[in-house]
Amino acid sequence: MDEAVELLTAAGDFDAVVLDLILKRSMGIDLFKAFPQLPPVIILSSLYGEDNVMTGLTSGAADYVVKPCSMRLLETHIALRLLPKADAVETFGRFSVNANTRTVKYNNMPVPLTPSEFNILFFLVKNRGRYFTADEIYEKIWCAPSLHTTTIRAHLSSLRRKLKAAIPSGDIIRTEFNKGYCFTGDVL
């Protein structure tokens, strides 16, 4: 883990991370705690099974690929996670969300989010004005059946709290009973 932290710190700006979960003296999943603002992370691991995949995805990974796999398959997964600049940045007044750098800013000040919070926010931003239930959000982001809707609700609660602290003038994620959650885009 120490080597991974050193490499990421020395590398500076990078587009994506391919991460193995089994490192010399620790688990790669700990990297999410050391670097909460990672660019898209594609986990490449020999650990398979639903529990391992779900742990990786709910920790903030953008994708999970089981080894062994061909380089062609890995390249395809990476390409799917790196958006063209035109599709990666969404701006609403003084509020911006950048999927390639995985940053959120209001008035040019960063809004610190966990990887999962960022994934949820970017999904809602890209679907501005549409309502999604917690189950739908889970299934759309992690491409898996929703098993833990309380996880999404907890992430949404934390996300809304952080956005409210950064943007006190508006509630940009609206909740409507029987409809779900919606990014309004109403940012001053």
PDB file of all heavy atoms in Angstrom, residues 6-26:
ATOM      1  N   GLU A   6       2.851   6.197  -2.647  1.00  0.00           N
ATOM      2  CA  GLU A   6       3.997   6.952  -3.173  1.00  0.00           C
ATOM      3  C   GLU A   6       3.868   7.180  -4.678  1.00  0.00           C
ATOM      4  O   GLU A   6       4.106   8.284  -5.173  1.00  0.00           O
ATOM      5  CB  GLU A   6       5.302   6.216  -2.875  1.00  0.00           C
ATOM      6  CG  GLU A   6       5.741   6.284  -1.430  1.00  0.00           C
ATOM      7  CD  GLU A   6       6.994   5.464  -1.168  1.00  0.00           C
ATOM      8  OE1 GLU A   6       7.842   5.336  -2.084  1.00  0.00           O
ATOM      9  OE2 GLU A   6       7.114   4.940  -0.045  1.00  0.00           O
ATOM     10  N   LEU A   7       3.504   6.132  -5.417  1.00  0.00           N
ATOM     11  CA  LEU A   7       3.356   6.254  -6.866  1.00  0.00           C
ATOM     12  C   LEU A   7       2.261   7.250  -7.240  1.00  0.00           C
ATOM     13  O   LEU A   7       2.444   8.085  -8.130  1.00  0.00           O
ATOM     14  CB  LEU A   7       3.059   4.897  -7.503  1.00  0.00           C
ATOM     15  CG  LEU A   7       4.222   3.927  -7.594  1.00  0.00           C
ATOM     16  CD1 LEU A   7       3.730   2.549  -8.002  1.00  0.00           C
ATOM     17  CD2 LEU A   7       5.247   4.437  -8.597  1.00  0.00           C
ATOM     18  N   LEU A   8       1.130   7.176  -6.568  1.00  0.00           N
ATOM     19  CA  LEU A   8       0.027   8.086  -6.877  1.00  0.00           C
ATOM     20  C   LEU A   8       0.379   9.530  -6.509  1.00  0.00           C
ATOM     21  O   LEU A   8       0.027  10.461  -7.226  1.00  0.00           O
ATOM     22  CB  LEU A   8      -1.246   7.655  -6.156  1.00  0.00           C
ATOM     23  CG  LEU A   8      -1.918   6.414  -6.721  1.00  0.00           C
ATOM     24  CD1 LEU A   8      -3.029   5.940  -5.800  1.00  0.00           C
ATOM     25  CD2 LEU A   8      -2.459   6.666  -8.113  1.00  0.00           C
ATOM     26  N   THR A   9       1.080   9.711  -5.413  1.00  0.00           N
ATOM     27  CA  THR A   9       1.490  11.050  -4.993  1.00  0.00           C
ATOM     28  C   THR A   9       2.498  11.632  -5.980  1.00  0.00           C
ATOM     29  O   THR A   9       2.394  12.790  -6.383  1.00  0.00           O
ATOM     30  CB  THR A   9       2.088  11.017  -3.573  1.00  0.00           C
ATOM     31  OG1 THR A   9       1.121  10.442  -2.692  1.00  0.00           O
ATOM     32  CG2 THR A   9       2.452  12.403  -3.093  1.00  0.00           C
ATOM     33  N   ALA A  10       3.472  10.815  -6.399  1.00  0.00           N
ATOM     34  CA  ALA A  10       4.508  11.279  -7.324  1.00  0.00           C
ATOM     35  C   ALA A  10       3.962  11.518  -8.731  1.00  0.00           C
ATOM     36  O   ALA A  10       4.415  12.412  -9.438  1.00  0.00           O
ATOM     37  CB  ALA A  10       5.652  10.272  -7.378  1.00  0.00           C
ATOM     38  N   ALA A  11       2.958  10.729  -9.136  1.00  0.00           N
ATOM     39  CA  ALA A  11       2.425  10.823 -10.498  1.00  0.00           C
ATOM     40  C   ALA A  11       1.692  12.130 -10.741  1.00  0.00           C
ATOM     41  O   ALA A  11       1.618  12.603 -11.865  1.00  0.00           O
ATOM     42  CB  ALA A  11       1.501   9.646 -10.786  1.00  0.00           C
ATOM     43  N   GLY A  12       1.133  12.711  -9.705  1.00  0.00           N
ATOM     44  CA  GLY A  12       0.402  13.965  -9.876  1.00  0.00           C
ATOM     45  C   GLY A  12      -0.931  13.749 -10.555  1.00  0.00           C
ATOM     46  O   GLY A  12      -1.792  13.058 -10.040  1.00  0.00           O
ATOM     47  N   ASP A  13      -1.084  14.330 -11.735  1.00  0.00           N
ATOM     48  CA  ASP A  13      -2.358  14.293 -12.454  1.00  0.00           C
ATOM     49  C   ASP A  13      -2.421  13.066 -13.353  1.00  0.00           C
ATOM     50  O   ASP A  13      -1.558  12.848 -14.192  1.00  0.00           O
ATOM     51  CB  ASP A  13      -2.466  15.566 -13.306  1.00  0.00           C
ATOM     52  CG  ASP A  13      -3.893  15.925 -13.618  1.00  0.00           C
ATOM     53  OD1 ASP A  13      -4.793  15.418 -12.943  1.00  0.00           O
ATOM     54  OD2 ASP A  13      -4.090  16.718 -14.549  1.00  0.00           O
ATOM     55  N   PHE A  14      -3.441  12.241 -13.182  1.00  0.00           N
ATOM     56  CA  PHE A  14      -3.600  11.040 -13.997  1.00  0.00           C
ATOM     57  C   PHE A  14      -5.070  10.853 -14.318  1.00  0.00           C
ATOM     58  O   PHE A  14      -5.937  11.388 -13.630  1.00  0.00           O
ATOM     59  CB  PHE A  14      -3.010   9.806 -13.314  1.00  0.00           C
ATOM     60  CG  PHE A  14      -3.294   9.728 -11.838  1.00  0.00           C
ATOM     61  CD1 PHE A  14      -4.361   9.015 -11.355  1.00  0.00           C
ATOM     62  CD2 PHE A  14      -2.485  10.393 -10.932  1.00  0.00           C
ATOM     63  CE1 PHE A  14      -4.637   8.951 -10.007  1.00  0.00           C
ATOM     64  CE2 PHE A  14      -2.744  10.335  -9.569  1.00  0.00           C
ATOM     65  CZ  PHE A  14      -3.829   9.622  -9.106  1.00  0.00           C
ATOM     66  N   ASP A  15      -5.338  10.117 -15.393  1.00  0.00           N
ATOM     67  CA  ASP A  15      -6.694   9.972 -15.895  1.00  0.00           C
ATOM     68  C   ASP A  15      -7.490   8.856 -15.236  1.00  0.00           C
ATOM     69  O   ASP A  15      -8.708   8.952 -15.094  1.00  0.00           O
ATOM     70  CB  ASP A  15      -6.674   9.732 -17.405  1.00  0.00           C
ATOM     71  CG  ASP A  15      -6.106  10.911 -18.158  1.00  0.00           C
ATOM     72  OD1 ASP A  15      -6.321  12.050 -17.709  1.00  0.00           O
ATOM     73  OD2 ASP A  15      -5.441  10.695 -19.177  1.00  0.00           O
ATOM     74  N   ALA A  16      -6.826   7.769 -14.879  1.00  0.00           N
ATOM     75  CA  ALA A  16      -7.509   6.622 -14.294  1.00  0.00           C
ATOM     76  C   ALA A  16      -6.515   5.800 -13.493  1.00  0.00           C
ATOM     77  O   ALA A  16      -5.304   5.964 -13.637  1.00  0.00           O
ATOM     78  CB  ALA A  16      -8.134   5.761 -15.390  1.00  0.00           C
ATOM     79  N   VAL A  17      -7.045   4.923 -12.669  1.00  0.00           N
ATOM     80  CA  VAL A  17      -6.223   4.020 -11.871  1.00  0.00           C
ATOM     81  C   VAL A  17      -6.734   2.606 -12.100  1.00  0.00           C
ATOM     82  O   VAL A  17      -7.932   2.352 -12.014  1.00  0.00           O
ATOM     83  CB  VAL A  17      -6.329   4.361 -10.358  1.00  0.00           C
ATOM     84  CG1 VAL A  17      -5.610   3.324  -9.517  1.00  0.00           C
ATOM     85  CG2 VAL A  17      -5.789   5.751 -10.078  1.00  0.00           C
ATOM     86  N   VAL A  18      -5.808   1.693 -12.417  1.00  0.00           N
ATOM     87  CA  VAL A  18      -6.130   0.272 -12.465  1.00  0.00           C
ATOM     88  C   VAL A  18      -5.544  -0.305 -11.185  1.00  0.00           C
ATOM     89  O   VAL A  18      -4.338  -0.214 -10.948  1.00  0.00           O
ATOM     90  CB  VAL A  18      -5.543  -0.422 -13.714  1.00  0.00           C
ATOM     91  CG1 VAL A  18      -5.842  -1.908 -13.682  1.00  0.00           C
ATOM     92  CG2 VAL A  18      -6.100   0.222 -14.980  1.00  0.00           C
ATOM     93  N   LEU A  19      -6.398  -0.867 -10.353  1.00  0.00           N
ATOM     94  CA  LEU A  19      -6.014  -1.252  -8.997  1.00  0.00           C
ATOM     95  C   LEU A  19      -6.257  -2.731  -8.751  1.00  0.00           C
ATOM     96  O   LEU A  19      -7.354  -3.237  -9.001  1.00  0.00           O
ATOM     97  CB  LEU A  19      -6.846  -0.427  -7.998  1.00  0.00           C
ATOM     98  CG  LEU A  19      -6.720  -0.753  -6.525  1.00  0.00           C
ATOM     99  CD1 LEU A  19      -5.327  -0.393  -6.015  1.00  0.00           C
ATOM    100  CD2 LEU A  19      -7.775   0.010  -5.735  1.00  0.00           C
ATOM    101  N   ASP A  20      -5.228  -3.412  -8.261  1.00  0.00           N
ATOM    102  CA  ASP A  20      -5.390  -4.788  -7.802  1.00  0.00           C
ATOM    103  C   ASP A  20      -5.746  -4.724  -6.322  1.00  0.00           C
ATOM    104  O   ASP A  20      -5.225  -3.880  -5.596  1.00  0.00           O
ATOM    105  CB  ASP A  20      -4.101  -5.583  -8.004  1.00  0.00           C
ATOM    106  CG  ASP A  20      -4.326  -7.084  -7.902  1.00  0.00           C
ATOM    107  OD1 ASP A  20      -5.251  -7.514  -7.189  1.00  0.00           O
ATOM    108  OD2 ASP A  20      -3.566  -7.829  -8.535  1.00  0.00           O
ATOM    109  N   LEU A  21      -6.630  -5.563  -5.882  1.00  0.00           N
ATOM    110  CA  LEU A  21      -7.034  -5.540  -4.476  1.00  0.00           C
ATOM    111  C   LEU A  21      -6.013  -6.200  -3.559  1.00  0.00           C
ATOM    112  O   LEU A  21      -5.980  -5.921  -2.367  1.00  0.00           O
ATOM    113  CB  LEU A  21      -8.396  -6.225  -4.302  1.00  0.00           C
ATOM    114  CG  LEU A  21      -9.575  -5.482  -4.915  1.00  0.00           C
ATOM    115  CD1 LEU A  21     -10.864  -6.221  -4.632  1.00  0.00           C
ATOM    116  CD2 LEU A  21      -9.657  -4.061  -4.400  1.00  0.00           C
ATOM    117  N   ILE A  22      -5.168  -7.053  -4.095  1.00  0.00           N
ATOM    118  CA  ILE A  22      -4.181  -7.741  -3.264  1.00  0.00           C
ATOM    119  C   ILE A  22      -2.819  -7.072  -3.479  1.00  0.00           C
ATOM    120  O   ILE A  22      -2.190  -7.234  -4.517  1.00  0.00           O
ATOM    121  CB  ILE A  22      -4.116  -9.238  -3.605  1.00  0.00           C
ATOM    122  CG1 ILE A  22      -5.490  -9.876  -3.400  1.00  0.00           C
ATOM    123  CG2 ILE A  22      -3.066  -9.933  -2.743  1.00  0.00           C
ATOM    124  CD1 ILE A  22      -5.578 -11.314  -3.842  1.00  0.00           C
ATOM    125  N   LEU A  23      -2.403  -6.298  -2.470  1.00  0.00           N
ATOM    126  CA  LEU A  23      -1.104  -5.641  -2.496  1.00  0.00           C
ATOM    127  C   LEU A  23      -0.180  -6.361  -1.513  1.00  0.00           C
ATOM    128  O   LEU A  23      -0.612  -7.214  -0.745  1.00  0.00           O
ATOM    129  CB  LEU A  23      -1.248  -4.163  -2.137  1.00  0.00           C
ATOM    130  CG  LEU A  23      -2.172  -3.354  -3.064  1.00  0.00           C
ATOM    131  CD1 LEU A  23      -2.310  -1.927  -2.550  1.00  0.00           C
ATOM    132  CD2 LEU A  23      -1.650  -3.352  -4.488  1.00  0.00           C
ATOM    133  N   LYS A  24       1.097  -5.974  -1.494  1.00  0.00           N
ATOM    134  CA  LYS A  24       2.083  -6.701  -0.685  1.00  0.00           C
ATOM    135  C   LYS A  24       1.697  -6.843   0.785  1.00  0.00           C
ATOM    136  O   LYS A  24       1.715  -7.919   1.335  1.00  0.00           O
ATOM    137  CB  LYS A  24       3.453  -6.031  -0.793  1.00  0.00           C
ATOM    138  CG  LYS A  24       4.148  -6.326  -2.085  1.00  0.00           C
ATOM    139  CD  LYS A  24       5.524  -5.717  -2.095  1.00  0.00           C
ATOM    140  CE  LYS A  24       6.188  -5.985  -3.426  1.00  0.00           C
ATOM    141  NZ  LYS A  24       7.471  -5.306  -3.534  1.00  0.00           N
ATOM    142  N   ARG A  25       1.397  -5.731   1.434  1.00  0.00           N
ATOM    143  CA  ARG A  25       1.137  -5.797   2.867  1.00  0.00           C
ATOM    144  C   ARG A  25      -0.232  -5.268   3.264  1.00  0.00           C
ATOM    145  O   ARG A  25      -0.484  -4.991   4.428  1.00  0.00           O
ATOM    146  CB  ARG A  25       2.227  -5.027   3.619  1.00  0.00           C
ATOM    147  CG  ARG A  25       3.583  -5.719   3.588  1.00  0.00           C
ATOM    148  CD  ARG A  25       4.638  -4.927   4.315  1.00  0.00           C
ATOM    149  NE  ARG A  25       5.039  -3.732   3.618  1.00  0.00           N
ATOM    150  CZ  ARG A  25       5.923  -3.678   2.640  1.00  0.00           C
ATOM    151  NH1 ARG A  25       6.502  -4.776   2.244  1.00  0.00           N
ATOM    152  NH2 ARG A  25       6.229  -2.544   2.060  1.00  0.00           N
ATOM    153  N   SER A  26      -1.109  -5.093   2.290  1.00  0.00           N
ATOM    154  CA  SER A  26      -2.442  -4.572   2.613  1.00  0.00           C
ATOM    155  C   SER A  26      -3.402  -4.883   1.473  1.00  0.00           C
ATOM    156  O   SER A  26      -3.039  -5.520   0.501  1.00  0.00           O
ATOM    157  CB  SER A  26      -2.379  -3.068   2.861  1.00  0.00           C
ATOM    158  OG  SER A  26      -1.996  -2.400   1.682  1.00  0.00           O
TER     159      SER A  26
END
